[in-house]
Amino acid sequence: MKHPKLTLIAALLTTAATAAPLPVVTSFSILGDVAKQIGGERVSIQNLVGANQDTHAYHMTSGDIKKIRSAKLVLINGLGLEAADVQRAVKQSKVSYAEATKGIQPLKAEEEGGHHHDHDHDHEGHHHDHGEYDPHVWNDPVLMSAYAQNVAEALIKADPEGKVYYQQRLGNYQMQLKKLHSDAQAAFNAVPAAKRKVLTGHDAFSYMGKRYHIEFIAPQGVSSEAEPSAKQVAAIIRQIKHEGIKAVFTENIKDTRMVDRIAKETGVNVSGKLYSDALGNAPADTYIGMYRHNIKAMSEAMKK
């Protein structure tokens, strides 16, 4: 029989081993939540860009460089979502890092993933675009299964002792993503195809558009920093009037003035707020909660 004192010491050592979670830095809040869902109590997550903040408009701070350097793992989205200064800081830190979109077939930034623009593309002001690919992969829950798998593999590599724990949580999370996809499919299939049209502030929903056959119209390009021309805005206003589009939304990360102006000039009420590139307050404080909010808001607005 073990000595009670030795048993107590062993228990204390076990607690100490699990009490220091793996410090992980993620580039933005949606990725941070995926890492938290898989990492559970074994990880401690810090985001560079927090809830309700715009990744496109983010600028690196010295505090963020310190965060990165004190991490054991850095997770980035990839596909050009993170600006050059973030990529540089991550590489120079010598901390292990992984891209959540690794191996995922991305849409081209100009690809019409289930949406199209009747207005002319005017590329002035696209100085902070993402280059060739559209990075907003999280707007397709089917692709998010591979995204989550990449996150789990990075956590396992950084913390091999947690392998079984991470794999178990990944499996549970992938089941939730599967359910999210089937619920989204059911909600959008209940809307007549001709009514599946949504106006948003910037072009963040192409992956959702492709997956669920929704046409998204956006005055701004893939980056929320790109400024549309007066000609583009006028063309969108004509399109909304002509096609009778009722689903008009602002975004949690963006100034709403552009969408408000378009709504006013078309006489359409703003249907509400979508979460595009960042989590928000409950129920949108997790990726799945955020996506469910967007499904409900869009499908209800389209039916009007």
Side-chain angles (χ1 to χ4, degrees):
M1 189 180 157
K2 273 189 180 175
H3 194 282
K5 206 169 183 183
L6 288 175
T7 311
L8 179 65
I9 291 166
L12 287 170
L13 286 171
T14 309
T15 310
T18 55
L22 182 77
V24 178
V25 165
T26 59
S27 60
F28 74 124
S29 59
I30 293 169
L31 177 51
D33 177 60
V34 174
K36 195 178 170 187
Q37 300 300 328
I38 296 162
E41 290 171 5
R42 290 189 75 94
V43 300
S44 152
I45 309 285
Q46 283 190 298
N47 301 313
L48 296 181
V49 185
N52 293 315
Q53 291 181 332
D54 185 357
T55 313
H56 305 284
Y58 162 77
H59 296 289
M60 200 81 195
T61 67
S62 56
D64 289 336
I65 292 169
K66 279 183 190 148
K67 262 187 209 176
I68 289 168
R69 286 183 179 159
S70 62
K72 286 279 187 286
L73 172 67
V74 178
L75 293 170
I76 61 173
N77 182 80
L79 299 177
L81 180 73
E82 293 81 11
D85 59 346
V86 178
Q87 294 177 43
R88 199 163 46 246
V90 170
K91 283 169 188 165
Q92 285 173 353
S93 73
K94 304 281 192 286
V95 174
S96 295
Y97 74 94
E99 287 191 6
T101 56
K102 188 182 129 204
I104 291 172
Q105 184 61 52
L107 290 174
K108 292 275 175 77
E110 287 303 313
E111 208 172 301
E112 312 301 352
H115 73 286
H116 68 270
H117 302 279
D118 289 347
H119 51 279
D120 301 323
H121 274 292
D122 198 334
H123 289 287
E124 288 165 31
H126 270 232
H127 50 272
H128 183 118
D129 67 7
H130 299 292
E132 203 181 340
Y133 298 111
D134 181 338
H136 305 89
V137 168
W138 56 88
N139 273 314
D140 181 347
V142 175
L143 296 179
M144 283 302 275
S145 191
Y147 195 96
Q149 176 93 40
N150 286 335
V151 169
E153 283 171 10
L155 289 173
I156 290 165
K157 200 174 167 188
D159 174 24
E161 284 178 15
K163 184 177 179 178
V164 174
Y165 179 80
Y166 296 135
Q167 283 177 334
Q168 212 166 10
R169 290 183 71 93
L170 171 66
N172 291 341
Y173 194 58
Q174 286 176 323
M175 291 293 285
Q176 290 176 53
L177 291 171
K178 214 171 176 177
K179 173 92 168 77
L180 183 65
H181 164 57
S182 63
D183 290 350
Q185 217 164 20
F188 294 128
N189 284 347
V191 178
K195 285 192 148 198
R196 281 183 226 160
K197 292 173 183 179
V198 180
L199 175 93
T200 59
H202 88 291
D203 200 358
F205 293 95
S206 291
Y207 288 90
M208 187 189 232
K210 187 177 182 191
R211 179 66 63 193
Y212 304 113
H213 310 293
I214 301 163
E215 180 188 335
F216 287 94
I217 300 109
Q220 287 178 298
V222 172
S223 167
S224 65
E225 294 246 288
E227 282 303 321
S229 66
K231 191 176 164 190
Q232 284 175 308
V233 175
I236 286 175
I237 288 167
R238 281 199 304 275
Q239 187 182 354
I240 289 171
K241 285 178 174 172
H242 177 67
E243 297 179 19
I245 296 164
K246 298 283 186 278
V248 172
F249 288 93
T250 57
E251 293 170 42
N252 68 318
I253 59 160
K254 280 183 54 56
D255 184 325
T256 65
R257 282 176 299 184
M258 174 70 68
V259 172
D260 290 338
R261 187 189 135 199
I262 291 170
K264 194 179 172 190
E265 292 197 29
T266 54
V268 176
N269 292 327
V270 174
S271 307
K273 181 170 69 177
L274 296 177
Y275 294 88
S276 50
D277 295 6
L279 301 178
N281 302 328
D285 54 349
T286 65
Y287 165 70
I288 288 178
M290 170 197 107
Y291 207 86
R292 287 197 178 281
H293 164 91
N294 287 350
I295 295 166
K296 188 170 186 287
M298 283 186 212
S299 57
E300 285 176 3
M302 288 176 201
K303 286 176 187 170
K304 284 176 188 169

